[in-house]
Amino acid sequence: MLNAGASRDGLVGRIPAGWREASGYAVAAVLAGLVVAHLAEALELMLFVNADSLVTVLMARSLAAGQPQDWAMSPVLFIPETAVYFLLALFGMGVRATLMANAAVNS
């Protein structure tokens, strides 16, 4: 007679929970990378010319230059995105590469 618990769990029951969770994160990261790559290739205007994408670049460069901050935007959206862009810009990549990395992190 078959053990009912073993047939019910199948392969998923044999994989440790930590590995299942890690594989889920890995799949999500790969999918985010594929989406960003598709956007960078097919919809270049959306990432590199659209005003919403470039606001973080303008804010980060304005902060780095020490200019007065007279921005009138929703801080809920733009402050975290600008902080992420600023941290990614510290790696010394160009604007386009930093925008692509920022899109991957924010997706």
Side-chain angles (χ1 to χ4, degrees):
M1 183 168 185
L2 290 174
N3 183 355
S7 64
R8 180 180 44 131
D9 290 339
L11 180 62
V12 175
R14 291 185 228 152
I15 300 173
W19 285 101
R20 282 184 278 166
E21 188 171 342
S23 66
Y25 286 127
V27 168
V30 167
L31 289 175
L34 290 173
V35 168
V36 170
H38 174 72
L39 286 175
E41 182 181 331
L43 303 173
E44 186 175 352
L45 292 176
M46 182 181 282
L47 274 178
F48 304 124
V49 180
N50 186 5
D52 289 342
S53 297
L54 298 176
V55 167
T56 56
V57 178
L58 292 171
M59 287 183 68
R61 292 210 173 169
S62 175
L63 284 168
Q67 297 172 338
Q69 300 301 304
D70 295 328
W71 299 95
M73 291 178 268
S74 171
V76 174
L77 298 176
F78 291 107
I79 289 177
E81 288 182 16
T82 303
V84 169
Y85 176 84
F86 193 71
L87 291 174
L88 290 171
L90 294 176
F91 288 108
M93 301 180 290
V95 173
R96 292 172 70 94
T98 305
L99 281 173
M100 287 176 54
N102 194 27
V105 170
N106 287 329
S107 62

